[in-house]
Tab-separated table of all heavy atoms in Angstrom:
chain	number	residue	atom	x	y	z
A	260	GLY	N	61.043	14.936	1.801
A	260	GLY	CA	60.542	16.149	1.389
A	260	GLY	C	59.870	17.055	2.521
A	260	GLY	O	59.480	18.158	2.282
A	261	SER	N	59.597	16.375	3.597
A	261	SER	CA	58.791	17.046	4.755
A	261	SER	C	59.639	18.125	5.443
A	261	SER	O	59.147	19.110	5.985
A	261	SER	CB	58.238	16.054	5.722
A	261	SER	OG	59.372	15.241	6.262
A	262	HIS	N	60.934	17.898	5.512
A	262	HIS	CA	61.891	18.714	6.187
A	262	HIS	C	63.307	18.455	5.720
A	262	HIS	O	63.561	17.414	5.314
A	262	HIS	CB	61.735	18.610	7.668
A	262	HIS	CG	62.434	19.653	8.471
A	262	HIS	ND1	62.224	20.983	8.329
A	262	HIS	CD2	63.450	19.545	9.433
A	262	HIS	CE1	63.010	21.670	9.207
A	262	HIS	NE2	63.817	20.840	9.797
A	263	GLY	N	64.183	19.465	5.725
A	263	GLY	CA	65.520	19.190	5.379
A	263	GLY	C	66.380	20.351	5.762
A	263	GLY	O	65.975	21.350	6.228
A	264	THR	N	67.680	20.163	5.309
A	264	THR	CA	68.779	21.132	5.643
A	264	THR	C	69.942	20.934	4.632
A	264	THR	O	70.251	19.677	4.337
A	264	THR	CB	69.228	20.960	7.041
A	264	THR	OG1	70.577	21.693	7.196
A	264	THR	CG2	69.527	19.503	7.470
A	265	THR	N	70.472	21.913	4.149
A	265	THR	CA	71.604	21.678	3.179
A	265	THR	C	72.820	21.270	3.970
A	265	THR	O	73.572	20.232	3.552
A	265	THR	CB	71.955	23.050	2.500
A	265	THR	OG1	70.779	23.439	1.740
A	265	THR	CG2	73.151	22.873	1.663
A	266	PHE	N	73.261	21.945	5.023
A	266	PHE	CA	74.522	21.585	5.724
A	266	PHE	C	74.339	20.766	6.893
A	266	PHE	O	75.332	20.185	7.436
A	266	PHE	CB	75.158	23.010	6.122
A	266	PHE	CG	75.502	23.975	5.056
A	266	PHE	CD1	74.753	24.977	4.854
A	266	PHE	CD2	76.591	23.712	4.258
A	266	PHE	CE1	75.014	25.914	3.880
A	266	PHE	CE2	76.947	24.545	3.214
A	266	PHE	CZ	76.197	25.668	3.001
A	267	GLY	N	73.200	20.446	7.371
A	267	GLY	CA	73.030	19.769	8.563
A	267	GLY	C	73.600	18.221	8.509
A	267	GLY	O	73.210	17.552	7.522
A	268	GLY	N	74.315	17.860	9.487
A	268	GLY	CA	74.821	16.568	9.554
A	268	GLY	C	75.904	16.289	8.525
A	268	GLY	O	76.076	15.211	8.056
A	269	ASN	N	76.628	17.428	8.158
A	269	ASN	CA	77.728	17.247	7.249
A	269	ASN	C	78.817	16.425	7.806
A	269	ASN	O	78.975	16.185	9.054
A	269	ASN	CB	78.273	18.593	6.726
A	269	ASN	CG	78.852	19.411	7.818
A	269	ASN	OD1	80.038	19.083	8.134
A	269	ASN	ND2	78.230	20.438	8.375
A	270	PRO	N	79.672	15.741	7.091
A	270	PRO	CA	80.703	14.796	7.526
A	270	PRO	C	81.617	15.423	8.537
A	270	PRO	O	82.016	14.768	9.556
A	270	PRO	CB	81.474	14.388	6.259
A	270	PRO	CG	80.442	14.502	5.216
A	270	PRO	CD	79.596	15.765	5.498
A	271	LEU	N	82.087	16.638	8.363
A	271	LEU	CA	82.888	17.350	9.405
A	271	LEU	C	82.209	17.397	10.775
A	271	LEU	O	82.830	17.085	11.762
A	271	LEU	CB	83.344	18.643	8.904
A	271	LEU	CG	84.654	18.763	8.078
A	271	LEU	CD1	84.886	20.185	7.574
A	271	LEU	CD2	85.845	18.251	8.911
A	272	ALA	N	80.965	17.887	10.766
A	272	ALA	CA	80.316	18.134	11.975
A	272	ALA	C	80.021	16.766	12.717
A	272	ALA	O	80.189	16.618	13.879
A	272	ALA	CB	78.902	18.817	11.666
A	273	VAL	N	79.646	15.710	11.940
A	273	VAL	CA	79.324	14.472	12.412
A	273	VAL	C	80.598	13.755	13.028
A	273	VAL	O	80.494	13.232	14.151
A	273	VAL	CB	78.758	13.586	11.305
A	273	VAL	CG1	78.674	12.100	11.820
A	273	VAL	CG2	77.224	14.044	11.061
A	274	ALA	N	81.724	13.911	12.318
A	274	ALA	CA	82.964	13.325	12.855
A	274	ALA	C	83.304	14.040	14.222
A	274	ALA	O	83.801	13.273	15.247
A	274	ALA	CB	84.127	13.565	11.912
A	275	VAL	N	83.148	15.312	14.397
A	275	VAL	CA	83.449	15.965	15.670
A	275	VAL	C	82.540	15.581	16.791
A	275	VAL	O	82.835	15.236	17.842
A	275	VAL	CB	83.445	17.508	15.381
A	275	VAL	CG1	83.632	18.187	16.819
A	275	VAL	CG2	84.534	17.975	14.517
A	276	ALA	N	81.154	15.672	16.435
A	276	ALA	CA	80.124	15.297	17.388
A	276	ALA	C	80.370	13.866	17.859
A	276	ALA	O	80.214	13.451	19.074
A	276	ALA	CB	78.818	15.514	16.835
A	277	GLN	N	80.627	12.912	16.984
A	277	GLN	CA	80.859	11.513	17.444
A	277	GLN	C	82.038	11.547	18.323
A	277	GLN	O	81.911	10.746	19.451
A	277	GLN	CB	81.266	10.633	16.265
A	277	GLN	CG	81.283	9.218	16.465
A	277	GLN	CD	79.990	8.532	16.958
A	277	GLN	OE1	79.008	8.652	16.159
A	277	GLN	NE2	79.956	7.986	18.137
A	278	THR	N	83.147	12.222	18.207
A	278	THR	CA	84.196	12.271	19.080
A	278	THR	C	83.832	12.767	20.493
A	278	THR	O	84.192	12.242	21.605
A	278	THR	CB	85.369	13.135	18.538
A	278	THR	OG1	85.731	12.602	17.257
A	278	THR	CG2	86.505	13.188	19.413
A	279	VAL	N	82.932	13.841	20.429
A	279	VAL	CA	82.417	14.435	21.730
A	279	VAL	C	81.625	13.368	22.478
A	279	VAL	O	81.860	13.158	23.648
A	279	VAL	CB	81.689	15.659	21.474
A	279	VAL	CG1	81.019	16.164	22.725
A	279	VAL	CG2	82.493	16.800	20.918
A	280	VAL	N	80.676	12.775	21.737
A	280	VAL	CA	79.843	11.854	22.411
A	280	VAL	C	80.610	10.633	22.989
A	280	VAL	O	80.287	10.205	24.068
A	280	VAL	CB	78.719	11.355	21.374
A	280	VAL	CG1	77.911	10.221	21.996
A	280	VAL	CG2	77.816	12.518	21.033
A	281	ASP	N	81.592	10.090	22.195
A	281	ASP	CA	82.416	9.020	22.606
A	281	ASP	C	83.027	9.343	23.999
A	281	ASP	O	83.273	8.385	24.779
A	281	ASP	CB	83.429	8.625	21.614
A	281	ASP	CG	82.791	7.865	20.455
A	281	ASP	OD1	81.653	7.539	20.546
A	281	ASP	OD2	83.513	7.841	19.328
Side-chain angles (χ1 to χ4, degrees):
S261 59
H262 190 57
T264 165
T265 297
F266 297 106
N269 67 76
L271 271 173
V273 167
V275 173
Q277 186 68 59
T278 302
V279 171
V280 170
D281 287 345

